[in-house]
Structure formats: structure tokens, C-alpha cells
Amino acid sequence: MNTFEVYKLYPIAIESAKGMELTDTEGKKYLDLYGGHGVISIGHCQEDYVKEVSAQLNKIGFYSNSVRIPMQDELGAKLQQISGYNDYKLFLVNSGAEANENALKLASFYTNRSKVISFKGAFHGRTSLAVAVTDSPAIQAPINKTDKVLWAELNNIESVKQLMDSDVAAVIIEGIQGVGGVKIPTTEFLKQLRQLCDQNGSLLIIDEIQSGYGRTGKFYAHQHSGIKADIISMAKGIANGFPVGAIMINPKIPAKFGMLGTTFGGNHLGCAAALATVDVMLKNNYVANAAAMGEYLFGKLKGHKAIKDLRGEGLMVGIETIADASEIRNRLLFDEHIFTGFSGGVNTIRLIPPLCITEKEIDRFVEAFDKVTK
Ligand SMILES: Cc1ncc(COP(=O)(O)O)c(C=O)c1O
């Protein structure tokens, strides 16, 4: 049976990887500045991670949420420590879309309301509620289209105010818009949004699936603004490649048996992968490294003659180029052997590398970028 062809594929098959480097089936080596959609947070095949996950697999890989899984509590405690959200609760799932799906459902349960405000340019995933709050009609099937989702402009509080009413359960916003082209909500906007949600009795959901988990130099991108969310969704970097998603939930929202659920979410192997990831992040100060390396990279690229606009924070970097970004990206991949990401609508190369990146790899990228944009 052939696979269902929904992905545009590069003619490259990756066979192995270590740290920041990928090796294909022909033995060609690539620098990975994309981390497979921002999933690889602590580097490929990180030693402690491999050890912990392998050991867990030899003990027990899976049992369902019908029994206590103490590793879930351990992970919750570690996440409280690293995020500073000390009293929030954790619910574990399997992907980013599922995290958002549960965040939105929970907001609706809690408020007994049915509408959501989302933003132009937003991407929140492909399951039914997640895709309904995603600003991409092409990936919404007719069954996903709904008048329950209202669309506001990023960084325009008046556009949100106009939509707020007593049936708005939540506002959902990315910590930094990723797929939309690395667009940052301003501190002032996030503060106004927080206030507006409180005044209206609506919850603020911040999607940190791409921008969170240390990527921007704080654990969550919205923490640069000093505000707190009611529900935070995570996935991607949480388990360095093992499919884990999660939401952190304000303790004011009561849990009721059966209101949320999942077969696979929070399983032993996933928890072991997430615990190993967070331990490696803490041990190596990768959040601080993301801040430092981001600064180094921005310093190198600022004022570059091939760049129209440089956006981002830490290791979430959007390089809007003057020439065709997809062409530059192809040359980076095929001539210079560097993987990068892309935001097509805004002609932007997106870098979301593993957080263990060093100056040496950044220098290699900058040299290659110079070369292909000459
Ligand atoms: C901000 C954001 N939210 C949600 C998702 C969906 O995550 P997943 O593909 O794990 O369902 C993504 C994926 O790119 C994302 O970038």
C-alpha cells in the first residue's frame, strides 16, 4: 500500500542523527536548524534521553489512565519548577492539536459559553476545533467551518473588543505566531488582552506549542510580557520527538471525572521521554542558551543586505528575505546542507533549531546564508 500523498517531500531520507546533525541514507550530513518542525529541543539522540527512554521501555511502555502513573506527577512538579506556574494542573495528551482541542473544550465547559476569538495568521492544528481556530480556509473541511470562531487582528485590541460578548468562552493566541511567519504579540497587546478577558469572564488560552518550552529564552514566550494565561498548550519540544502534548490549567478551573480523556496520553514511555527532556534542559541551562544564541544570531544577521525584516525572540527566528525565500531555502538545503523552515505567505525562512545549538553552528549558517544570497 502506498502512503496517502499529503506531504510535499524532499528527495532525502534521513537515517540517523546526533545533536544538531542529520545523516541521510547516502551518508550526506546536514545541519538541522529546523528540528523537524521544532520538535527536537535537546538535540537528536541525546545520550541521557536515549538511556532513560530505553530503560523505561524495558520496564513498561504503556498502561492506560485507569491506574496511577506517578511519572505524570513527577513531570507536573518539574514543569511547575521550570515554568514558574506553581499551582497549575497538568493534563497530558499526544499532540499539539489535541492539546488545543482540550484547552478550547475546557474553556467552554468552564464558562458554559460557546464562542472563541482567534487571530488572523493563527495556526493551532488540524483536528476539528484546532483547525476551526486556524486561519487557513484551505485546510478546513466543510464540517470544520463554524460561526463560533471570531477573527481579530494581532496587536489590535480594538478588533478584539468589537468581538467580545457574553458568549465568548476564550481568546486563543500563539505565544509567537509560527506558521504565520514569526509574528510577535506586543507586551502592551497581551496585557490589554489579559485585562479584557478578565473583564468579560473569558479565559485566555496561550498556544506555546511552537514558541514555548524554552525556545525564546523564557520557558514560555508570553512570559516576556509578564502576563499569565489561564490555559497553556504545549507539544513539539516537550519530549524531544516522542509524541506528547499537554495543557497547563489554572487551578480555578475545576476538574470533573470524565470531562477530558485519552487512551495514550500520559503513558509511561511518553512520561519517561518528557522527564528525560526536561532534566537535560535543566542540567544544561538550555533556556538560557536559547536566549544567548538567539542574541548571537540576531547580532550576526541584523542589517544584512538580503533581509527585508528580521523577527523573533531567542531561537524562534523569522528571516523575511528580499529575494524569493523558498529559493534561498532550497539552496541552503541542497548546496549547503542546512535544514530550515518556511512561512510561505510572508516570504520568510523560519529557524527553530534544537536549543543545544552553539555559536559554531550559527557561524556556519550565517556563512552559508551570505553565500546563497550573494
Ligand atoms: C502553534 C502551533 N499550534 C499547534 C500545532 C499543531 O501541533 P500538532 O501538529 O502536534 O498537532 C502547531 C504545529 O505546527 C503549532 O505550530
Side-chain angles (χ1 to χ4, degrees):
M1 195 192 305
N2 291 328
T3 53
F4 197 56
E5 291 184 359
V6 292
Y7 302 112
K8 195 167 165 226
L9 301 177
Y10 285 121
I12 296 170
I14 301 299
E15 194 169 63
S16 63
K18 186 78 192 159
M20 296 287 305
E21 191 175 76
L22 305 166
T23 305
D24 73 9
T25 43
E26 291 165 12
K28 239 181 267 163
K29 296 198 182 300
Y30 300 83
L31 174 63
D32 186 9
L33 298 188
Y34 188 51
H37 294 324
V39 164
I40 301 301
S41 47
I42 56 168
H44 293 276
C45 297
Q46 200 280 344
E47 270 165 41
D48 297 339
Y49 173 88
V50 171
K51 208 163 86 194
E52 294 294 327
V53 175
S54 311
Q56 185 61 47
L57 197 50
N58 278 307
K59 277 197 260 174
I60 177 172
F62 174 84
Y63 205 75
S64 66
N65 285 303
S66 55
V67 296
R68 277 193 62 235
I69 300 178
M71 277 190 293
Q72 293 185 0
D73 300 325
E74 212 186 312
L75 181 60
K78 290 241 163 90
L79 286 180
Q80 284 181 339
Q81 180 198 340
I82 196 169
S83 72
Y85 273 90
N86 294 324
D87 51 354
Y88 277 46
K89 310 277 186 206
L90 182 67
F91 180 67
L92 288 158
V93 291
N94 309 284
S95 69
E98 196 187 352
N100 284 333
E101 201 76 20
N102 281 285
L104 291 162
K105 201 193 223 184
L106 197 52
S108 178
F109 271 134
Y110 175 68
T111 58
N112 198 27
R113 299 177 183 183
S114 67
K115 288 192 207 155
V116 184
I117 296 177
S118 185
F119 291 92
K120 301 263 172 66
F123 185 89
H124 295 292
R126 290 165 181 274
T127 56
S128 60
L129 277 174
V131 84
V133 293
T134 288
D135 180 23
S136 180
I139 64 166
Q140 292 174 340
I143 200 171
N144 303 128
K145 298 198 196 285
T146 168
D147 57 4
K148 300 283 189 191
V149 178
L150 313 170
W151 297 96
E153 304 267 347
L154 191 68
N155 292 329
N156 179 346
I157 200 66
E158 288 308 316
S159 74
V160 189
K161 278 185 189 161
Q162 279 167 16
L163 300 172
M164 268 295 188
D165 68 25
S166 59
D167 197 24
V168 172
V171 174
I172 183 164
I173 184 167
E174 286 159 86
I176 293 178
Q177 282 191 348
V179 175
V182 190
K183 302 272 178 74
I184 306 182
T186 64
T187 294
E188 194 198 354
F189 180 68
L190 284 178
K191 285 190 168 153
Q192 290 168 326
L193 205 55
R194 177 67 274 178
Q195 201 179 23
L196 196 58
C197 285
D198 289 341
Q199 284 163 356
N200 198 58
S202 309
L203 297 186
L204 179 59
I205 300 171
I206 305 194
D207 176 341
E208 293 280 5
I209 287 161
Q210 191 167 149
S211 55
Y213 241 79
R215 174 152 303 286
T216 68
K218 294 222 183 259
F219 193 66
Y220 296 126
H222 69 266
Q223 291 177 318
H224 290 282
S225 298
I227 60 142
K228 285 185 98 172
D230 295 306
I231 306 177
I232 303 136
S233 51
M234 306 164 257
K236 292 205 188 279
I238 189 168
N240 205 43
F242 197 90
V244 176
I247 49 176
M248 278 179 65
I249 305 158
N250 189 319
K252 75 180 180 189
I253 302 170
K256 282 194 206 118
F257 287 150
M259 76 196 298
L260 306 177
T262 157
T263 296
F264 290 114
N267 68 71
H268 295 75
L269 200 51
C271 283
L275 277 168
T277 303
V278 83
D279 282 345
V280 171
M281 279 181 73
L282 283 166
K283 193 168 132 198
N284 294 287
N285 287 321
Y286 280 154
V287 183
N289 191 57
M293 291 304 104
E295 212 176 298
Y296 184 73
L297 177 58
F298 276 87
K300 292 255 161 183
L301 290 180
K302 215 177 250 168
H304 196 290
K305 62 180 187 342
I307 297 177
K308 186 174 168 199
D309 192 21
L310 185 60
R311 298 183 291 275
E313 187 80 64
L315 292 175
M316 185 158 178
V317 183
I319 307 168
E320 187 173 339
T321 51
I322 294 166
D324 183 2
S326 60
E327 198 50 45
I328 296 171
R329 197 171 156 243
N330 279 341
R331 288 200 56 202
L332 283 169
L333 181 60
F334 295 111
D335 301 348
E336 302 300 320
H337 297 165
I338 300 177
F339 269 92
T340 61
F342 189 50
S343 297
V346 284
N347 198 42
T348 296
I349 294 171
R350 196 156 37 104
L351 305 182
I352 38 176
L355 309 187
C356 56
I357 195 169
T358 65
E359 291 184 0
K360 196 171 126 225
E361 285 121 6
I362 291 175
D363 289 344
R364 189 181 149 206
F365 167 73
V366 174
E367 236 172 75
F369 184 76
D370 281 344
K371 212 163 137 189
V372 301
T373 55
K374 226 173 223 147

